[in-house]
Amino acid sequence: MSAVAITRGGPGSLPATGGLVELSGVNKHFGALHVLQDVNLSIARGEVVVVIGPSGSGKSTLCRTINRLETVDSGTITIDGRELPSEGRALARLRSDVGMVFQSFNLFAHKTVLENVVLGQVKVRRTDKATAERKARDLLDRVGVGSQADKYPAQLSGGQQQRVAIARALAMDPKVMLFDEPTSALDPEMINEVLEVMQQLAREGMTMVVVTHEMGFARSAADRVVFMADGRIVEEATPEEFFGNPRSDRAKDFLSKILKH
Amino acid sequence: MFDFLHNPQYDVLGAFWTTVQLALWSAAGSLVWGTVLAGMRVSPVPLMRAFGTAYVNVVRNTPLTLLIIACSLGLGQTLGVTLGGGTFDQTGFRLAVLGFAAYTGTFVCEALRSGINTVPPGQAEAARALGLSFFQVLTLVVLPQAFRAVIAPLANVLIALTKNTTVASAIGVAEASLLMKEMIENEADALFAVFAVFAFGFTVLTLPTGLLLGWTAKRMAVKR
Ligand SMILES: Nc1ncnc2c1ncn2[C@@H]1O[C@H](COP(=O)(O)OP(=O)(O)OP(=O)(O)O)[C@@H](O)[C@H]1O
Ligand SMILES: [Mg+2]
């Protein structure tokens, strides 16, 4: 991967005054299931937070509440000091500032790779088409799929599709990027090409929330590891602390299971 | 046997041309109206959803003849709606198109809704995550994929519509079946020849619709 900058800002280019993303007292139920239990989390500008935890612990739900793909029952979530609006244009505008990358890529199947990256710029940001295409090609080059611009998503490998999805999110100049298990649907040989793009983003100072089981990525790129179990944040620590010396039994148990393989 | 075709009293081509126009205008109207209805039925606004559901269930289950006559007698003669038609014939034609669109729109809506269900939810989610509005998500991402998935069922709806246009004869629109009735009365000795001519005419109209849309469906299918 070349060392071209993907984002505009660098680390520390903006003072970290309060959290860029703040969750306080967030609760969420799915019927009787209490999926998020009094979650408090503050993510500083430029910080890379890796969220790990057993299946069903609420990691995806946490991620999705940050751009309100899931509503919350109580508590507040603010992005850059502003509380999440509940509906309509204001919510759409806020979502455009929060990039999201899904486990299953979710590229628009009826649009070419280029059109996928152009769509949001033109329809949400009202960028003119020529500028948007230039930026899209630039981003596609940077994530290493520039030559695939005119193909349809189904013609690309999973790793390529996920890199396009990252470019599509970056095209909106988001303030924060959310990744929900971005490599879990990929064949092993494709995982690294996606992780490299994410590593580079992290180095360039992008604020990131990453749900992942890739411990290598967590160790090398994360500023902080958040461990979730049963809808609660059980432990928060630097990667060295967390992997070297987990405090809670849940975390010890979880790590012993995943680090064996 | 087919002598009646040369009788200047019968304008068979003219009558079929009226059928074609009825079918085309009604098809356009029902595609637009059906799309709007489908939009309502998946919208987050409960009132719109309720209206869409109620409308589809009532209109779809009403006999078409009743709807067409209601348009003609109720809207046209009682309320004086002419839809800008100058002559009696023009008004009848336009009211018939209105009735067909109102009715066929419900079938288009239901076909589209089944198409919307074939679009993985992740598509709409990714679109929402980019900051697109509900309307944009629907028109830019979901409906274009839904349409491609339902071209074949839509072809069936359009073929049924073409044949349903014969109901317009009930309010005196001079389309093919009205002429057929007239010919049956006058040419009783060539009854089967008359049937054959009109059956052939309708086949000529509907067969290409099915073939063309079947071909389009294959070409446009969204690969996943
Ligand atoms: N839309 C939904 N309706 C009902 N229950 C849901 C829904 N989405 C998630 N859940 C439940 O909420 C719990 C938390 O789900 P979530 O997807 O957040 O877990 P996760 O930590 O991301 O798990 P995984 O590692 O398997 O992705 C699970 O028990 C799940 O079954
Ligand atoms: Mg998950």
Side-chain angles (χ1 to χ4, degrees), chain A residues 22-52:
Chain A
E22 293 270 4
L23 289 85
S24 68
V26 170
N27 280 283
K28 162 98 188 157
H29 294 79
F30 282 122
L33 186 67
H34 200 169
V35 264
L36 293 181
Q37 306 188 23
D38 202 29
V39 170
N40 296 292
L41 183 63
S42 172
I43 297 159
R45 211 177 285 275
E47 193 179 15
V48 176
V49 172
V50 162
V51 181
I52 65 174

Side-chain angles (χ1 to χ4, degrees), chain B residues 8-38:
Chain B
Q9 177 191 349
Y10 305 129
D11 182 7
V12 176
L13 285 182
F16 267 109
W17 175 232
T18 302
T19 296
V20 169
Q21 285 176 302
L22 262 185
L24 286 179
W25 285 108
S26 305
S30 48
L31 286 176
V32 171
W33 180 227
T35 308
V36 172
L37 283 173

Side-chain angles (χ1 to χ4, degrees), chain A residues 56 59-61 103 180-181 211:
Chain A
K59 307 180 297 291
S60 297
T61 309
Q103 178 173 353
D180 187 4
E181 303 203 27
V211 178

Side-chain angles (χ1 to χ4, degrees), chain B residues 122-142:
Chain B
Q123 295 282 305
E125 242 166 35
R128 282 158 72 206
L130 280 181
L132 296 170
S133 66
F134 168 78
F135 186 73
Q136 288 175 319
V137 173
L138 194 65
T139 55
L140 298 172
V141 175
V142 177

Side-chain angles (χ1 to χ4, degrees), chain A residues 6 96 116-122 125 127 132 135-136 139 164-174 177, chain B residues 130:
Chain A
I6 295 182
S96 68
N116 263 275
V117 186
V118 163
L119 186 74
Q121 298 184 64
V122 171
R125 293 275 187 248
T127 312
K135 180 170 183 174
L139 282 166
V164 174
I166 293 174
R168 175 175 70 177
L170 289 175
M172 308 301 286
D173 295 322
M177 289 277 286
Chain B
L130 280 181

Side-chain angles (χ1 to χ4, degrees), chain B residues 41-207:
Chain B
R41 292 205 71 175
V42 298
S43 96
V45 185
L47 196 67
M48 281 194 167
R49 275 205 306 274
F51 172 82
T53 310
Y55 178 94
V56 167
N57 284 313
V58 170
V59 174
R60 187 172 52 163
N61 294 311
T62 305
L64 179 57
T65 316
L66 192 155
L67 276 177
I68 298 296
I69 293 179
C71 280
S72 170
L73 296 183
L75 287 180
Q77 295 183 15
T78 307
L79 299 175
V81 177
T82 63
L83 299 177
T87 64
F88 178 79
D89 282 355
Q90 252 179 11
T91 303
F93 180 89
R94 291 180 188 197
L95 288 170
V97 168
L98 180 72
F100 287 130
Y103 177 76
T104 314
T106 63
F107 293 90
V108 172
C109 166
E110 292 308 278
L112 268 180
R113 230 158 50 93
S114 73
I116 288 173
N117 290 336
T118 68
V119 181
Q123 295 282 305
E125 242 166 35
R128 282 158 72 206
L130 280 181
L132 296 170
S133 66
F134 168 78
F135 186 73
Q136 288 175 319
V137 173
L138 194 65
T139 55
L140 298 172
V141 175
V142 177
L143 282 179
Q145 296 186 51
F147 264 119
R148 289 163 207 228
V150 296
I151 292 174
L154 276 183
N156 291 337
V157 171
L158 294 181
I159 287 170
L161 167 66
T162 309
K163 295 186 291 184
N164 282 344
T165 58
T166 53
V167 172
S169 65
I171 61 168
V173 176
E175 46 69 63
S177 77
L178 193 71
L179 180 64
M180 184 177 79
K181 273 180 208 146
E182 192 187 327
M183 287 166 72
I184 290 171
E185 284 171 21
N186 299 342
E187 313 287 337
D189 49 336
L191 196 56
F192 287 100
V194 172
F195 285 152
V197 166
F198 284 91
F200 177 73
F202 274 97
T203 310
V204 167
L205 294 186
T206 53
L207 202 59

Side-chain angles (χ1 to χ4, degrees), chain A residues 8-261:
Chain A
R8 296 160 307 170
S13 64
L14 283 162
T17 50
L20 177 61
V21 179
E22 293 270 4
L23 289 85
S24 68
V26 170
N27 280 283
K28 162 98 188 157
H29 294 79
F30 282 122
L33 186 67
H34 200 169
V35 264
L36 293 181
Q37 306 188 23
D38 202 29
V39 170
N40 296 292
L41 183 63
S42 172
I43 297 159
R45 211 177 285 275
E47 193 179 15
V48 176
V49 172
V50 162
V51 181
I52 65 174
S55 180
S57 55
K59 307 180 297 291
S60 297
T61 309
L62 177 74
C63 219
R64 292 159 57 84
T65 57
I66 296 178
N67 65 357
R68 217 179 154 86
L69 282 179
E70 298 286 358
T71 56
V72 298
D73 299 336
S74 65
T76 57
I77 301 176
T78 62
I79 308 250
D80 214 1
R82 281 185 316 178
E83 194 164 333
L84 283 188
S86 54
E87 294 289 339
R89 295 224 165 274
L91 177 60
R93 203 171 313 124
L94 176 127
R95 280 189 180 138
S96 68
D97 286 338
V98 179
M100 180 141 195
V101 175
F102 302 84
Q103 178 173 353
S104 49
F105 329 134
N106 294 349
L107 292 178
F108 305 131
H110 64 307
K111 295 199 172 288
T112 64
V113 163
L114 186 71
E115 288 165 347
N116 263 275
V117 186
V118 163
L119 186 74
Q121 298 184 64
V122 171
K123 299 294 175 182
V124 177
R125 293 275 187 248
R126 305 282 163 201
T127 312
D128 69 275
K129 196 152 179 255
T131 312
E133 285 194 359
R134 220 174 308 128
K135 180 170 183 174
R137 287 193 190 279
D138 202 30
L139 282 166
L140 288 172
D141 281 339
R142 288 173 189 189
V143 298
V145 288
S147 59
Q148 316 290 325
D150 298 316
K151 290 193 183 162
Y152 283 88
Q155 296 170 288
L156 270 54
S157 74
Q160 290 172 324
Q161 288 191 53
Q162 194 60 299
R163 286 182 283 154
V164 174
I166 293 174
R168 175 175 70 177
L170 289 175
M172 308 301 286
D173 295 322
K175 292 175 178 164
V176 51
M177 289 277 286
L178 311 174
F179 295 83
D180 187 4
E181 303 203 27
T183 57
S184 298
L186 296 177
D187 292 336
E189 73 270 23
M190 293 170 188
I191 290 176
N192 275 334
E193 65 192 45
V194 171
L195 289 181
E196 268 170 42
V197 170
M198 292 170 58
Q199 296 265 16
Q200 195 189 337
L201 264 181
R203 280 197 298 274
E204 287 163 8
M206 175 59 82
T207 309
M208 295 162 68
V209 178
V210 185
V211 178
T212 186
H213 295 296
E214 293 298 329
M215 296 306 139
F217 176 83
R219 281 177 199 278
S220 64
D223 297 307
R224 181 156 47 125
V225 172
V226 168
F227 175 73
M228 282 187 80
D230 301 329
R232 290 178 192 280
I233 294 183
V234 175
E235 199 163 331
E236 283 182 72
T238 63
E240 299 80 49
E241 267 171 31
F242 181 76
F243 292 112
N245 184 22
R247 279 163 297 163
S248 62
D249 291 339
R250 290 299 304 261
K252 282 177 194 156
D253 182 49
F254 177 74
L255 284 175
S256 72
K257 276 179 191 145
I258 59 164
L259 293 181
K260 254 180 230 155
H261 322 298

